């Protein structure tokens, strides 16, 4: 066993970083045995140096993160600051100064993953980021390594705990969106500004990372189609229940049937109650991976939180330290397929459309004609109405998003259609 310790610089000591430091300290002997050398916390960069940091030697605290990563004796930098800058510059500086990097930063990886991978490779260092997607759940490494000999065709997941908590509340209690959000905020599941979660930005960053790894291509955040879940109503849940479904905010990454392109999207969708993702409750995450040889795999667990996320960071830290000792590197970016990312219009799925219509003879036929004219085949129609007004719920067979958009535009122009109450995709069948 080597006695000279591997030196770790911790950038950020908030929700995740404080747990990383705690586990590094309390499990030091186990980590030493598993790695084959001791790991030493050599410095902790923060923004507010005077804050009390339980269990951390105050002498290690610095506000100069750049000087810490430039020290020259750091073996591994753990970046848990978050955001784009200064995290990006600190990570590239770490590579330039001989350190490998473990990061939990989904926003940065989704935006600049390719450049960061290149910087790591240029300097012969590792870049690991298991914690960036779905917190504690091992997902990046299974996709990168365990499934490296298989062909992944689809990744379908609940990758944001806040939105799953809100939707689960709406489903189980009949609450509206605002009421469920208020409860999530009170319980600490939603931040004071929940935009990144409820508008799907956080899930879109994760979808970009997952699609790139799953399909061995490059998918950037801008390539991901995104719709938030703020418009989902209690009425949508009632409709979903009538179909034997529930509603989840899903990240969906798919390889096209001809294998020539991929798509990545985030939006609320109905899924059948029989689908394993339907039973993912509260703030849990789960990701369903469909591959050619393995078939269907599901990864489930806590997708956030200090200790669960630190578990994933520590797993990466052990792997990177072992590589350092062996003088080797883990798998870098695998983007050789260079598959184009198709626009949302080319996505093919089923739709649930709820229309407010005039309750008079011929309306159903008129609506059905519009669907037929746009090549969208109807699976079921449910009509209910009174006092001259009616509600029409149409569920379609599989159709392209572009065809559905054209259908809805044409429906809005019909005099007998008073409004389009909701449009929701139906997935997981
Ligand atoms: N929280 C989760 O459940 C979770 C789950 C998965 C992934 N992640 C990812 O993990 C990362 C960290 O998240 P978090 O929740 O731990 O964030 P956080 O609680 O806000 O902590 C951020 C830390 O970074 C420090 N910091 C901010 N700007 C800095 C700067 N310019 N120089 C040095 N230090 C700076 C802060 O210092 P002060 O302490 O002085 O403010 C704080 O310690 C993010 O990329 C996030 O997306 C988080």
């Amino acid at each position: 066993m080597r006695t000279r310790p591997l030196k770790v610089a911790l950038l950020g000591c908030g929700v995740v970083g404080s747990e990383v430091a705690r586990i590094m300290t309390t499990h030091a002997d186990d980590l030493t045995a598993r790695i084959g050398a001791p790991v030493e916390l050599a410095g902790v960069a923060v923004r507010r140096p005077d804050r009390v940091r339980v269990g951390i030697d105050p002498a290690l605290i610095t506000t100069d993160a750049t000087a810490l990563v430039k020290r020259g004796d750091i073996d591994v930098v753990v970046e848990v600051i978050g955001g784009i800058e200064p995290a990006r510059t600190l990570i590239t500086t770490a590579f330039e100064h001989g350190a490998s990097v473990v990061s939990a930063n989904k926003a940065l990886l989704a935006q600049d993953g390719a450049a960061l991978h290149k910087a790591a490779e240029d300097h012969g260092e590792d870049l690991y980021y298991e914690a960036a997607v779905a917190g504690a759940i091992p997902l990046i490494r299974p996709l990168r390594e365990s499934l490296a000999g298989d062909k992944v065709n689809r990744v379908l997941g609940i990758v944001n705990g806040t939105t799953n908590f809100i939707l689960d509340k709406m489903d189980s209690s009949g609450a509206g969106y605002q009421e469920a959000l208020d409860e999530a905020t009170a319980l600490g599941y939603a931040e004071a500004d929940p935009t990144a979660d409820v508008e799907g930005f956080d899930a879109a960053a994760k979808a970009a990372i997952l699609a790139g790894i799953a399909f061995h291509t490059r998918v950037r955040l801008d390539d991901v189609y995104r719709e938030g879940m703020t418009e989902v109503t209690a009425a949508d849940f009632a409709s979903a229940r009538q179909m034997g479904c529930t509603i989840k905010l899903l990240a969906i990454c798919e390889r096209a049937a001809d294998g020539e392109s991929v798509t990545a999207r985030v939006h609320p969708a109905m899924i059948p109650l029989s689908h394993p993702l339907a039973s993912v409750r509260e703030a849990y995450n789960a990701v369903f991976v469909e591959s050619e040889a393995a078939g269907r795999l599901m990864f489930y667990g806590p997708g956030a939180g200090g200790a669960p996320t630190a578990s994933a960071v520590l797993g990466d830290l052990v792997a990177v330290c072992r590589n350092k000792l062996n003088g080797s590197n883990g798998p870098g970016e695998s983007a050789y397929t260079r598959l184009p990312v198709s626009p949302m219009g080319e996505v093919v799925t089923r739709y649930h459309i709820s229309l407010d219509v005039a309750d008079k003879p011929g309306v159903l036929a008129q609506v059905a004609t519009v669907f037929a004219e746009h090549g969208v085949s109807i699976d079921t129609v449910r009509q209910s109405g009174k006092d001259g007004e009616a509600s029409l719920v149409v569920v379609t067979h599989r159709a392209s998003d572009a065809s559905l958009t054209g259908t809805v535009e044409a429906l809005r122009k019909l005099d007998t259609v008073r409004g389009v109450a909701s449009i929701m995709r139906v997935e997981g069948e």
Side-chain angles (χ1 to χ4, degrees):
M1 164 112 43
R2 187 177 107 151
T3 50
R4 188 175 70 74
L6 287 147
K7 295 196 175 182
V8 177
L10 181 61
L11 310 184
C13 191
V15 174
V16 179
S18 59
E19 283 298 313
V20 170
R22 182 186 64 79
I23 298 172
M24 277 184 72
T25 311
T26 55
H27 295 189
D29 291 344
D30 287 328
L31 292 172
T32 301
R34 291 171 197 175
I35 291 167
V39 272
E40 176 191 315
L41 193 55
V44 180
V46 296
R47 202 173 25 189
R48 295 167 291 173
D50 299 330
R51 247 182 127 189
V52 176
R53 319 260 173 191
V54 178
I56 295 179
D57 178 355
L60 295 178
I61 300 286
T62 176
T63 52
D64 194 346
T66 306
L68 179 59
V69 297
K70 280 185 172 175
R71 253 171 55 167
D73 63 341
I74 300 296
D75 297 290
V76 184
V77 166
V78 174
E79 184 277 306
V80 278
I81 290 177
I84 306 301
E85 286 294 354
R88 175 172 45 199
T89 305
L90 290 168
I91 289 174
T92 47
T93 308
F95 294 142
E96 286 158 13
H97 288 77
S100 285
V101 173
V102 174
S103 173
N105 195 331
K106 65 215 111 178
L108 180 57
L109 266 304
Q111 184 176 306
D112 278 331
L116 293 177
H117 275 293
K118 170 134 191 350
E121 197 184 328
D122 288 349
H123 293 92
E125 302 295 342
D126 279 333
L127 172 61
Y128 275 50
Y129 46 90
E130 184 63 68
V133 182
I137 307 172
L139 192 57
I140 305 286
R141 198 156 322 150
L143 283 171
R144 256 180 160 185
E145 298 181 33
S146 318
L147 291 166
D150 204 341
K151 183 178 183 188
V152 175
N153 289 320
R154 196 159 190 247
V155 179
L156 180 76
I158 295 166
V159 292
N160 182 278
T162 306
T163 48
N164 201 57
F165 182 89
I166 294 169
L167 291 170
D168 183 40
K169 263 293 140 214
M170 290 174 76
D171 192 17
S172 58
S173 70
Y177 165 71
Q178 192 57 49
E179 194 185 331
L181 171 62
D182 289 346
E183 186 171 346
T185 311
L187 292 171
Y189 288 115
E191 294 187 23
D193 176 2
T195 310
D197 294 319
V198 300
E199 294 297 350
F201 291 102
D202 174 84
K206 292 164 178 170
I209 296 170
L210 288 177
I213 296 172
F215 306 134
H216 300 270
T217 191
R218 280 193 185 141
V219 179
R220 283 171 52 98
L221 183 55
D222 296 347
D223 297 322
V224 182
Y225 173 83
R226 181 193 53 77
E227 260 176 48
M229 42 74 73
T230 56
E231 307 285 309
V232 177
T233 62
D236 290 328
F237 272 103
S239 250
R241 263 191 295 278
Q242 286 189 330
M243 283 179 63
C245 288
T246 186
I247 299 170
K248 297 289 186 189
L249 184 78
L250 296 179
I252 305 170
C253 312
E254 286 173 315
R255 191 191 290 278
D258 64 6
E260 297 297 315
S261 61
V262 298
T263 51
R265 53 194 163 112
V266 168
H267 54 71
M270 292 187 183
I271 51 166
L273 292 171
S274 56
H275 193 283
L277 288 178
S279 54
V280 177
R281 306 287 311 271
E282 300 188 331
Y284 279 89
N285 283 195
V287 178
F288 206 69
V289 176
E290 297 176 18
S291 74
E292 212 168 77
R296 296 174 155 196
L297 306 166
M298 185 151 122
F299 300 83
Y300 171 86
T309 307
S311 163
V313 171
L314 264 296
D316 281 353
L317 180 64
V318 169
V320 166
C321 286
R322 285 173 178 160
N323 292 344
K324 279 265 170 196
L325 288 182
N326 296 335
S328 64
N329 285 118
E333 186 191 31
S334 171
Y336 69 94
T337 64
R338 295 287 194 272
L339 292 171
V341 184
S342 299
M344 187 61 190
E346 291 178 27
V347 164
V348 173
T349 189
R350 297 178 66 208
Y351 301 87
H352 174 284
I353 301 119
S354 184
L355 303 169
D356 296 325
V357 297
D359 191 10
K360 57 184 189 187
V363 174
L364 192 52
Q366 242 184 351
V367 167
T369 303
V370 170
F371 276 88
E373 281 170 357
H374 290 82
V376 180
S377 153
I378 292 176
D379 181 17
T380 59
V381 180
R382 205 176 59 240
Q383 186 169 10
S384 55
K386 62 172 192 205
D387 304 332
E389 296 298 312
S391 154
L392 207 57
V393 173
V394 179
V395 180
T396 74
H397 287 295
R398 283 167 64 78
S400 74
D401 224 73
S403 306
L404 196 277
T405 304
T407 307
V408 172
E409 274 170 19
L411 286 171
R412 288 188 203 277
K413 289 182 188 147
L414 292 181
D415 288 344
T416 46
V417 173
R418 310 276 191 244
V420 179
S422 89
I423 306 166
M424 200 161 298
R425 298 172 185 91
V426 183
E427 302 287 341
E429 292 174 311

